[in-house]
Amino acid sequence: MYQPLADKIRPKTLDDVVGQQHLLGKNGLLRRVIESGSIPNLIFYGPSGVGKTTVASIIAKQTDRKLYHLNATTAGIADIKAIIDELDTFLTPNGALVYLDEIQYFNKKQQQSLLEFIETGKITLIASTTENPYFYIYNAILSRCTVFEFKPVEASDMQRAVDRAFMLALDGRDIPVESGVASHIAQAVGGDVRKALGAVELLVSGAGENGITLADARQAAQRSNMRYDRDGDSHYDILSALQKSIRGSDPDAAVHYLARLLEAGDMISAARRMLVIASEDIGLAYPQCAAIVKACVDSAFQLGLPEARIPLAQAAIVMATAPKSNSACMAIDAALADIRAGKSGDIPAHIKDAHYGGAAKLGRGLTYQYPHSYPNHWVEQDYLPAELSGAKYYEFGPNKTEQTAKTYWDRVKGRK
């Protein structure tokens, strides 16, 4: 019977696992927990193909427990209960370890139903998820489990797995492998060991007269290093990285993360986020930036990809190299905080609408002073409700543009 290469070379010990040294290295906490033999309920969080299932299998073997592998996309509580029925029998003399893959697909009721089983200690639960557990797993489960994050495998570690896979897949056959094939696969699969082994198996089975070429490797692993899901963590992580790179004035990082979004075909998210950045992070330090970014975004949507990459890159670089100010964002957030706290008060009568019959009888606009009738188009009068008199929301930023405005108004308002 056919057995995938990934299963044939699945690691049997912690030392055989590639990557995850932060968890499984000599001083890794997860390794120490496993070696102690006292296994708590665990949640393994991380992308596909990085060793979550493999480590669960090793835990079961090292603790001499029977491993039950369930997938939350097809399993239900009835499957858990069926496992409980086998407990205290000759089938599970040392207890059961239940590996529940993709736990995020269990709804709230199903997740809560797990509690009665894990709290009694009848089973040890290891749940895995590719989604952020703090978003998708309910607190009742989280509070009873320890979360360990698995990360994409670095190319240097991946190379070991690829070399071993070629050795096993070739099985002594004289099939030449062009230089650079293994390193290309290790780099191109985006930290996914299963994907790397699949590429090796494909290349060996489809080897031509010239053996396994670099061109074949590029085709087998094309675009596979892209980890992107518009509804998942990677989507928000890339957008966050794009904004923080622009905010941090790093144009190289900014175009890198923009490229990742565009390569995934998500121009809309990139454009929308850059429109926000123009006002949130550049703001009043360079007010014209908002208009420039809007023009670049409009051009991008008129052009479409691939040409759209150029105006969007222009917008990203303009913002990354522009002076920064978040004073407008801070001002509106401070004002909103007061509103939400119930601090509003009545609008002063002199600035209420007075363009209707009877307004004067209500005292509307009687003492309003028209600023354009005064020197420098300014006159001192109250605009905030009496309850908020003296409230300060906007503070001039330290950049040249805002300081120039501050100097002007300090002079006009007689503050200097």
Side-chain angles (χ1 to χ4, degrees), residues 248-260:
S249 304
D250 188 332
D252 300 305
V255 294
H256 168 79
Y257 293 114
L258 173 62
R260 287 171 72 158

Side-chain angles (χ1 to χ4, degrees), residues 5 20 58 63 71 85 142 157 171 174 238 254 256 268 298:
L5 181 62
Q20 314 310 329
I58 293 173
T63 58
N71 191 299
D85 290 340
L142 280 175
D157 291 325
D171 194 23
D174 188 20
I238 295 173
H256 168 79
I268 293 176
D298 288 347

Side-chain angles (χ1 to χ4, degrees), residues 304-323:
L305 289 170
E307 289 84 359
R309 75 191 190 283
I310 302 171
L312 291 179
Q314 177 181 339
I317 293 170
V318 165
M319 289 192 290
T321 56

Side-chain angles (χ1 to χ4, degrees), residues 81 88 119 210 239 289 305 335:
K81 290 180 177 178
D88 301 323
E119 286 186 327
N210 298 321
L239 287 174
C289 189
L305 289 170

Side-chain angles (χ1 to χ4, degrees), residues 154-203:
E154 297 288 339
S156 56
D157 291 325
M158 186 72 72
Q159 181 86 39
R160 291 193 293 119
V162 173
D163 289 339
R164 183 165 175 255
F166 267 120
M167 184 181 302
L168 184 64
L170 291 171
D171 194 23
R173 286 176 288 174
D174 188 20
I175 299 176
V177 179
E178 185 178 349
S179 176
V181 165
S183 60
H184 175 77
I185 294 173
Q187 183 67 50
V189 294
D192 188 329
V193 178
R194 188 184 301 116
K195 194 172 288 184
L197 301 184
V200 170
E201 188 170 24
L202 178 67
L203 289 169

Side-chain angles (χ1 to χ4, degrees), residues 48-243:
S48 300
V50 296
K52 300 189 298 294
T53 304
T54 295
V55 173
S57 299
I58 293 173
I59 292 174
K61 182 180 178 182
Q62 291 196 189
T63 58
D64 197 23
R65 302 186 194 187
K66 184 171 181 179
L67 177 67
Y68 294 86
H69 190 163
L70 302 176
N71 191 299
T73 59
T74 56
I77 295 302
D79 297 283
I80 304 290
K81 290 180 177 178
I83 294 171
I84 297 298
D85 290 340
E86 291 188 6
L87 295 179
D88 301 323
T89 69
F90 66 93
L91 294 174
T92 57
N94 296 310
L97 190 153
V98 176
Y99 181 69
L100 182 59
D101 202 5
E102 304 293 354
I103 189 177
Q104 73 271 15
Y105 289 108
F106 263 19
N107 59 35
K108 185 175 184 180
K109 183 178 179 180
Q110 288 175 310
Q111 289 190 28
Q112 289 177 331
S113 296
L114 290 171
L115 295 178
E116 63 176 288
F117 305 123
I118 64 177
E119 286 186 327
T120 61
K122 289 185 176 181
I123 64 171
T124 298
L125 175 70
I126 300 181
S128 75
T129 176
T130 56
E131 304 293 348
N132 192 322
Y134 298 99
F135 295 159
Y136 290 91
I137 299 178
Y138 293 95
N139 286 333
I141 296 293
L142 280 175
S143 66
R144 292 162 174 83
C145 298
T146 302
V147 177
F148 286 100
E149 182 179 2
F150 284 62
K151 298 180 179 179
V153 178
E154 297 288 339
S156 56
D157 291 325
M158 186 72 72
Q159 181 86 39
R160 291 193 293 119
V162 173
D163 289 339
R164 183 165 175 255
F166 267 120
M167 184 181 302
L168 184 64
L170 291 171
D171 194 23
R173 286 176 288 174
D174 188 20
I175 299 176
V177 179
E178 185 178 349
S179 176
V181 165
S183 60
H184 175 77
I185 294 173
Q187 183 67 50
V189 294
D192 188 329
V193 178
R194 188 184 301 116
K195 194 172 288 184
L197 301 184
V200 170
E201 188 170 24
L202 178 67
L203 289 169
V204 171
S205 63
E209 295 179 356
N210 298 321
I212 299 171
T213 66
L214 188 55
D216 290 339
R218 291 193 179 108
Q219 189 171 358
Q222 61 182 333
R223 292 174 64 89
S224 61
N225 61 336
M226 288 295 297
R227 291 187 180 273
Y228 191 75
D229 177 355
R230 293 191 189 192
D231 295 320
D233 282 352
S234 59
H235 168 80
Y236 297 104
D237 286 344
I238 295 173
L239 287 174
S240 175
L242 171 66
Q243 180 160 7

